[in-house]
Amino acid sequence: MHSDRLNNTNNLSPKFEGFFIEMVMPGQKQKVQEIVTKVFGFDCQVKSVGDNRTEFQVTLNKKVYSVKDAWDKSYNLRSQPGVVDAQPLFAVPLADNSQSEPIGDTQGQIEEQSSDVEWGLKQVRVFEAWSRFFPDPKRPPGHDIIIGLPDTGYSEHPEIIRNLLLAKGYDFLKKDKDPKDELERSPGEVINNPGHGTSTASIAISPRGRQGDYLSGKAVTGVAPGAKVVPLRVSYSVVLLSVQNLAEAIEYAADNNIHVLSISLGTGFFNQRLRSAIIYAQKRGVIIVAASGTFVPYVVWPAAYDEVIAVTGSNVLRQIWSGASRGPQVDVTAPAEKVWYAKVEKIDNELRYNILQGSGTSFSAPLVAGVAALWLSYHGREQLIKRYGAEKIPFIFNQILRDSCEKFPTWKPNKFGAGIVNAEKVLAAPLPDNLSRTNFAPAIALQQHPAIDNGRLETFAHLFEKQLSDSQPKANFIAPAKDNTKLQASLAELLQTTETQLPQRLKEVGQELAFHITTNPKLYQQLAKALSTEKSDPNQLKTRSLTESSSNNLDSVREILLQNVSEVLKTKLR
């Protein structure tokens, strides 16, 4: 996500798109059709998704529900015989729930040293990888590899146009084969970032050297200029993300021989529809890389999923960029602050191309996707498939990528992944022995974190990881274990239940509660205040006032929630 988007996110609201339904038995499309007709009273479009034949996407013909009504209908669907789960689908805002950290004394150094347009590639040793592993000019770095880019579409910017595979592109907004970025504001969106797809594509595939005459006089170099990008238009902007469009784009990539996905957008709204698409693509050998988030206090989805390579951001001094989301879900770090990129704007109906500098984990993700393209290109993707099977390729690359990272002076465990990416080491790393125990089954390969997408306690611990960590005593370079006691007590109080009964209560309404908290900045901030109250000495008199302050914040949370939640959640709050 690009830092240009940080204004007026409070004005955005979720937009209903449909439902995701999971059935007990496979192959029950007709049964789902009967259930939704019964619940909604009219025909809907039912589409089977994923490989299990138990998961379905339901879209309603011209019917739009409010957030409250959509959740009410979800609970109704869950109560139907044969239904395991039902969740509403929304295009959701990614709210700015965080404050930028102080810039500090190093800003002058950062400004000066990042004037080198290739500093990001130098930091991750891309040029060393090129010279060692791609000596043949007829086989440029990344050759034969296709990167899919779910974003705002493409432009004919000179830095990217020759490396686009437009015949494979698709526009999921208009449902046609022309994914051109119209560079216009969508009437329904307050914030737009037109041209974002052009910017992220340039980080991955722009040829070395200036491809046009730009006002800035600068150039941009992509990590894998021999690779091609398929533009997949899923959004007018990167702050109002259609979960449905992104899921369909991921599946489209898997079905159309796309090898790497670079996702520079994300949401606080986890959804099984998105997870299903990710697993579908990975079984077909697609390496998925995503931005960890920009000015958001937790790692966003889809980056937060274990199957996705989550990338946080560094600066030219090999420090973490202050605006980058961090946490246990991060896999690796790559340049994000003051990165050079291709910019396109429409001014008075005229397109203007330039090379500018900007910050955002939007830039980290395509850089790492470019490294994935280099790795696949060097080893030969077809040879890797023959050796390991397509489904294991994403996991082998993920492991090699992390094992090749370098720690940096301010690195901390469970914050910035394995360290800063090193492209040269990634390509130099030996492939695992086919018989080795390290070549584990994909299904359990990356289950290193508890599930954070089911609305249970772990979901809220993820969303408030920063507050829970900040409340712990500081230790030298050792990340203290999170203490969820305050979180449990606060959620139990909010949902009018006991801590013993809290798991059952969250099983019933946790998904909806998390949805409201992540899509409403006021809610998030109020609950964050309740959780981040500093620990006090039990012998001090101020303990009582802190507890009262926490309760007041929870009362505010409850008051806001009661205005817009389902009847089911409402009964748990009162």
Side-chain angles (χ1 to χ4, degrees):
M1 280 125 294
H2 198 322
S3 59
D4 285 355
R5 64 154 190 79
L6 297 171
N7 295 293
N8 301 322
T9 46
N10 294 4
N11 296 330
L12 292 168
S13 58
K15 292 178 172 56
F16 172 76
E17 294 189 312
F19 294 92
F20 170 85
I21 296 177
E22 183 180 358
M23 301 294 286
V24 175
M25 300 291 290
Q28 291 195 302
K29 185 175 179 180
Q30 185 58 42
K31 175 73 172 172
V32 174
Q33 191 77 56
E34 292 170 8
I35 288 171
V36 297
T37 301
K38 173 184 172 184
V39 171
F40 302 118
F42 50 86
D43 281 341
C44 312
Q45 290 183 321
V46 176
K47 170 185 169 184
S48 179
V49 297
D51 288 316
N52 298 333
R53 298 178 62 237
T54 57
E55 299 172 330
F56 300 89
Q57 176 179 294
V58 177
T59 49
L60 314 185
N61 300 321
K62 298 182 180 178
K63 177 68 176 176
V64 177
Y65 284 118
S66 67
V67 168
K68 176 189 180 303
D69 289 343
W71 280 103
D72 279 331
K73 292 293 185 186
S74 290
Y75 291 116
N76 191 338
L77 287 167
R78 291 178 193 181
S79 71
Q80 302 299 315
V83 175
V84 176
D85 191 18
Q87 300 173 24
L89 300 175
F90 297 96
V92 287
L94 182 56
D96 175 15
N97 290 319
S98 172
Q99 299 300 316
S100 173
E101 295 174 16
I103 288 174
D105 300 331
T106 58
Q107 197 58 27
Q109 283 179 272
I110 292 170
E111 292 279 354
E112 181 183 345
Q113 294 184 33
S114 64
S115 63
D116 176 358
V117 292
E118 293 181 337
W119 76 262
L121 277 67
K122 290 174 181 174
Q123 182 170 103
V124 300
R125 297 184 68 79
V126 165
F127 298 125
E128 289 85 351
W130 286 7
S131 59
R132 275 185 68 181
F133 302 106
F134 297 96
D136 184 354
K138 294 180 181 176
R139 297 172 70 78
H143 63 85
D144 300 332
I145 301 305
I146 301 172
I147 301 170
L149 197 70
D151 213 300
T152 62
Y154 80 96
S155 74
E156 292 170 343
H157 198 296
E159 293 297 319
I160 64 169
I161 191 62
R162 284 186 294 162
N163 277 342
L164 297 180
L165 277 183
L166 297 181
K168 279 198 174 201
Y170 195 81
D171 185 336
F172 291 87
L173 295 171
K174 295 190 171 181
K175 311 299 181 191
D176 64 34
K177 293 186 176 181
D178 180 15
K180 181 169 278 191
D181 189 334
E182 295 170 1
L183 302 169
E184 302 280 5
R185 282 186 170 274
S186 157
E189 296 186 35
V190 176
I191 310 169
N192 282 212
N193 202 342
H196 190 266
T198 293
S199 303
T200 52
S202 68
I203 303 291
I205 56 160
S206 178
R208 195 171 193 183
R210 203 165 59 193
Q211 306 300 305
D213 188 16
Y214 309 116
L215 192 62
S216 67
K218 299 290 188 177
V220 60
T221 302
V223 176
K228 304 296 183 187
V229 156
V230 173
L232 304 169
R233 189 170 182 242
V234 298
S235 180
Y236 295 102
S237 109
V238 288
V239 294
L240 192 62
L241 173 63
S242 164
V243 172
Q244 181 176 307
N245 284 351
L246 180 57
E248 289 182 352
I250 292 169
E251 290 159 348
Y252 177 93
D255 292 337
N256 285 275
N257 198 34
I258 289 170
H259 309 140
V260 181
L261 274 170
S262 179
I263 304 175
S264 289
L265 33 74
T267 172
F269 175 39
F270 56 89
N271 189 279
Q272 189 57 36
R273 173 71 187 95
L274 189 53
R275 187 80 180 261
S276 176
I278 288 164
I279 293 169
Y280 179 87
Q282 290 216 314
K283 283 181 180 176
R284 287 151 181 81
V286 182
I287 295 171
I288 304 176
V289 181
S292 69
T294 290
F295 290 110
V296 181
Y298 50 86
V299 176
V300 297
W301 284 270
Y305 287 127
D306 277 351
E307 298 90 349
V308 176
I309 298 169
V311 191
T312 193
S314 57
N315 63 28
V316 71
L317 302 180
R318 297 176 72 84
Q319 301 166 335
I320 287 295
W321 173 51
S322 62
S325 299
R326 68 284 306 264
Q329 281 66 36
V330 169
D331 291 293
V332 296
T333 300
E337 183 177 8
K338 296 208 165 291
V339 173
W340 293 93
Y341 66 94
K343 176 70 174 177
V344 58
E345 292 179 286
K346 184 186 275 189
I347 301 173
D348 297 329
N349 282 327
E350 179 186 336
L351 294 185
R352 297 187 188 177
Y353 303 119
N354 207 350
I355 305 297
L356 298 178
Q357 209 175 10
S359 302
T361 57
S362 279
F363 302 133
S364 310
L367 195 153
V368 175
V371 174
L374 296 182
W375 183 78
L376 289 172
S377 178
Y378 172 63
H379 290 294
R381 187 171 183 271
E382 289 306 313
Q383 284 69 33
L384 290 169
I385 290 173
K386 284 177 187 173
R387 183 169 175 178
Y388 299 108
E391 71 282 357
K392 291 184 180 175
I393 289 174
F395 301 97
I396 293 170
F397 173 72
N398 191 326
Q399 195 68 54
I400 289 174
L401 178 73
R402 290 186 295 169
D403 289 346
S404 303
C405 284
E406 297 177 342
K407 304 290 191 292
F408 45 91
T410 55
W411 180 88
K412 292 179 182 177
N414 295 317
K415 290 284 186 186
F416 314 128
I420 293 176
V421 167
N422 183 320
E424 184 185 15
K425 280 188 179 179
V426 168
L427 271 64
L431 294 173
D433 182 343
N434 210 24
L435 302 175
S436 167
R437 288 177 180 272
T438 60
N439 193 16
F440 26 59
I444 58 168
L446 292 173
Q447 289 181 351
Q448 60 191 55
H449 305 302
I452 56 169
D453 60 344
N454 55 15
R456 313 293 167 83
L457 187 66
E458 290 80 6
T459 299
F460 295 91
H462 168 71
L463 295 175
F464 295 98
E465 195 267 341
K466 183 178 187 301
Q467 287 79 13
L468 297 175
S469 296
D470 288 351
S471 69
Q472 301 305 302
K474 296 291 183 282
N476 290 331
F477 236 53
I478 298 173
K482 285 201 296 276
D483 180 2
N484 290 339
T485 308
K486 186 79 179 283
L487 178 64
Q488 285 177 287
S490 297
L491 290 174
E493 183 179 340
L494 179 65
L495 293 170
Q496 308 279 23
T497 189
T498 64
E499 290 183 45
T500 307
Q501 293 297 314
L502 180 64
Q504 180 59 33
R505 189 61 51 95
L506 290 176
K507 187 177 179 182
E508 294 166 358
V509 296
Q511 285 180 339
E512 184 187 355
L513 179 61
F515 167 82
H516 290 294
I517 286 168
T518 57
T519 56
N520 185 327
K522 286 182 182 176
L523 268 176
Y524 184 93
Q525 287 154 12
Q526 287 293 337
L527 190 47
K529 283 179 188 174
L531 294 171
S532 58
T533 307
E534 290 181 10
K535 292 197 166 187
S536 58
D537 184 335
N539 298 319
Q540 297 286 334
L541 289 173
K542 69 174 184 176
T543 303
R544 185 179 171 196
S545 63
L546 287 170
T547 306
E548 287 174 354
S549 171
S550 177
S551 291
N552 289 340
N553 285 320
L554 289 175
D555 288 342
S556 298
V557 170
R558 184 179 290 108
E559 189 178 326
I560 297 169
L561 281 168
L562 286 170
Q563 296 170 19
N564 197 33
V565 300
S566 70
E567 293 302 318
V568 173
L569 179 52
K570 210 173 269 185
T571 62
K572 313 296 184 189
L573 292 166
R574 285 177 168 154

